[in-house]
Amino acid sequence: MAWTREQMAARAAKELRDGYYVNLGIGIPTLVSNYIPDGIDVNLQSENGMLGMGPFPYEGEEDADLINAGKQTVSELPSTSYFSSADSFGMVRGGHIDLSILGAMQVAQNGDLANWMIPGKMVKGMGGAMDLVAGVKRVVVVMEHSAKDGPKLLKKCNLPLTGEKVVDMVVTDLAVFTIDKHGKDGMALIELADGVTLDEVKEKTEADFRVALKNA
């Protein structure tokens, strides 16, 4: 059985470390804020100018002025600070964000990432993904393993790239992979979702990967 969106977010949250400054992309990554492990203190940063985002508010407690980059309402904390978008991107480009968790359309076995456009389809804007993958210290992608037209983990991306050799880890609804983006170890399968078999992952993955399951 494949992981749900919530289970994928919970697995990605295990990559958080105490004291991290973290940027969460739109979609499934925003759910990570609900699964921060006990004893871990992280500061969530949004490129629209907010540092120290709290969890999603309960129904009826929303403040329309408090939103993340995906225009979802969020809550503030006593430590929350606000600033301009320019200052926010200065944090990203200056290498001050420890971890970015974002979605993707495609990831290649060498760590290439495509997540900002599909040719022929309307694009609202490039967003901050290109800055994030170039400026942050570590990149974790959370996405569904397959698209309607086939695999999303590929030997080589065929959509316009967001960044080259930028992805460190991929969490899908079927498995978890690490990528040695600076070396020769390539992509490694380190974890299977509950009830998912190795054969199923191989069948639905175009990218070459080695098996390094922790419980094998």
Side-chain angles (χ1 to χ4, degrees):
M1 179 183 293
W3 278 332
T4 64
R5 291 164 57 92
E6 288 74 17
Q7 288 173 315
M8 294 161 65
R11 175 58 186 86
K14 292 181 179 180
E15 301 305 308
L16 301 175
R17 299 292 180 268
D18 195 47
Y20 266 17
Y21 289 86
V22 181
N23 183 285
L24 301 179
I26 62 175
I28 299 174
T30 60
L31 299 175
V32 171
S33 63
N34 294 332
Y35 297 97
I36 298 174
D38 292 337
I40 297 294
D41 182 23
V42 299
N43 287 281
L44 300 180
Q45 189 255 14
S46 181
E47 58 259 39
N48 60 318
M50 190 174 180
L51 180 66
M53 289 186 295
F56 288 116
Y58 291 108
E59 186 175 354
E61 297 181 359
E62 302 93 339
D63 182 340
D65 290 328
L66 297 179
I67 60 172
N68 59 23
K71 297 181 175 58
Q72 297 169 302
T73 53
V74 295
S75 62
E76 64 179 355
L77 303 171
S79 58
T80 299
S81 59
Y82 303 93
F83 35 83
S84 71
S85 181
D87 287 332
S88 178
F89 277 94
M91 295 176 189
V92 172
R93 295 167 183 167
H96 303 293
I97 305 301
D98 298 290
L99 175 66
S100 177
I101 302 177
L102 40 73
M105 299 168 188
Q106 296 177 344
V107 175
Q109 63 194 38
N110 68 343
D112 288 353
L113 170 68
N115 82 337
W116 75 279
M117 74 166 293
I118 297 176
K121 293 193 176 183
M122 186 181 72
V123 179
K124 293 182 179 179
M126 195 173 297
M130 292 183 180
D131 294 274
L132 286 165
V133 299
V136 302
K137 297 171 185 174
R138 189 162 184 259
V139 173
V140 173
V141 166
V142 182
M143 66 179 189
E144 293 182 346
H145 199 92
S146 303
K148 293 180 180 179
D149 58 351
K152 297 174 69 173
L153 289 170
L154 308 172
K155 296 181 185 296
K156 185 177 181 179
C157 297
N158 52 49
L159 293 176
L161 293 183
T162 306
E164 296 182 353
K165 297 181 179 180
V166 295
V167 178
D168 296 281
M169 173 178 279
V170 181
V171 178
T172 77
D173 52 333
L174 301 183
V176 181
F177 298 83
T178 57
I179 299 178
D180 181 10
K181 63 187 181 185
H182 298 303
K184 300 179 181 179
D185 288 339
M187 179 180 286
L189 170 66
I190 64 168
E191 192 174 333
L192 293 171
D194 298 336
V196 174
T197 66
L198 177 58
D199 286 341
E200 181 180 359
V201 172
K202 287 181 176 179
E203 179 184 350
K204 296 180 178 179
T205 307
E206 181 195 286
D208 294 325
F209 63 89
R210 59 188 176 85
V211 178
L213 294 170
K214 296 178 180 179
N215 56 354

